[in-house]
């Protein structure tokens, strides 16, 4: 990856809806050259997708939390592909430390959160931290 690729990635992270024409103007390359570089970054897995950032609160998901689960063996959350498909689960991470995994979850209210915790308890001991605010909800990756 060279400086032009890094510049392309910075521009696409800021606005993934930019046209190849606009990208080419910003990085000072032809549109075909930009298109080829973007396709290569996609094929290499550097660009893994294009997404809209959703304000969870405004979308009706008023309760967000980080949930760690101490689980082990065949009933581990990480071994059940259905858990990753639950709509409440926004992210699922295998982690080090006392917990096996950490989940970022979002639900409409506390009753839904309680039901989710009850479902997760079938896999192990959940421990949750409510997200009160997110001073840095997302930021683009800055490559060296």
């Amino acid at each position: 990856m060279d400086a032009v690729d890094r510049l392309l990635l910075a521009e696409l992270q800021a606005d993934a809806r930019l046209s190849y024409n606009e990208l080419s103007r910003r990085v000072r390359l032809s549109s075909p050259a930009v298109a080829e570089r973007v396709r290569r970054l996609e094929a290499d897995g550097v660009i893994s997708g294009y997404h809209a950032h959703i304000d969870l609160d405004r979308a009706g998901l008023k309760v967000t939390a980080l949930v760690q689960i101490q689980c082990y063996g065949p009933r581990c959350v990480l071994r059940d592909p259905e858990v990753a498909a639950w709509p409440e689960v926004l992210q699922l991470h295998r982690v080090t430390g006392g917990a096996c995994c950490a989940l970022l979850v979002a639900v409409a209210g506390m009753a839904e959160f309680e039901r989710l915790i009850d479902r997760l308890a079938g896999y192990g001991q959940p421990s949750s931290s409510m997200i009160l605010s997110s001073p840095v909800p997302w930021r683009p990756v800055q490559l060296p």
Side-chain angles (χ1 to χ4, degrees), residues 3 10 24 28 49 58 61-62 91 96 106 110 116-117 125-126 136:
S24 68
R28 296 186 174 99
R58 290 183 182 178
L61 300 172
K62 305 287 185 186
Q91 296 179 359
T96 62
M110 289 307 291
L116 176 61
I117 290 297
Q125 182 179 352
V136 181

Side-chain angles (χ1 to χ4, degrees), residues 47-91:
I47 297 175
S48 61
Y50 298 88
H51 314 279
H53 293 281
I54 306 297
D55 182 306
L56 296 174
D57 186 54
R58 290 183 182 178
L61 300 172
K62 305 287 185 186
V63 175
T64 55
L66 297 170
V67 180
Q68 292 188 326
I69 303 178
Q70 295 179 0
C71 54
Y72 181 77
R75 271 305 276 167
C76 179
V77 168
L78 297 170
R79 296 188 192 283
D80 187 344
E82 290 184 20
V83 174
W86 293 357
E88 304 92 343
V89 176
L90 303 180
Q91 296 179 359

Side-chain angles (χ1 to χ4, degrees), residues 94-107:
R94 183 177 183 188
V95 298
T96 62
C100 169
C101 59
L103 300 89
L104 173 64
V105 300
V107 293

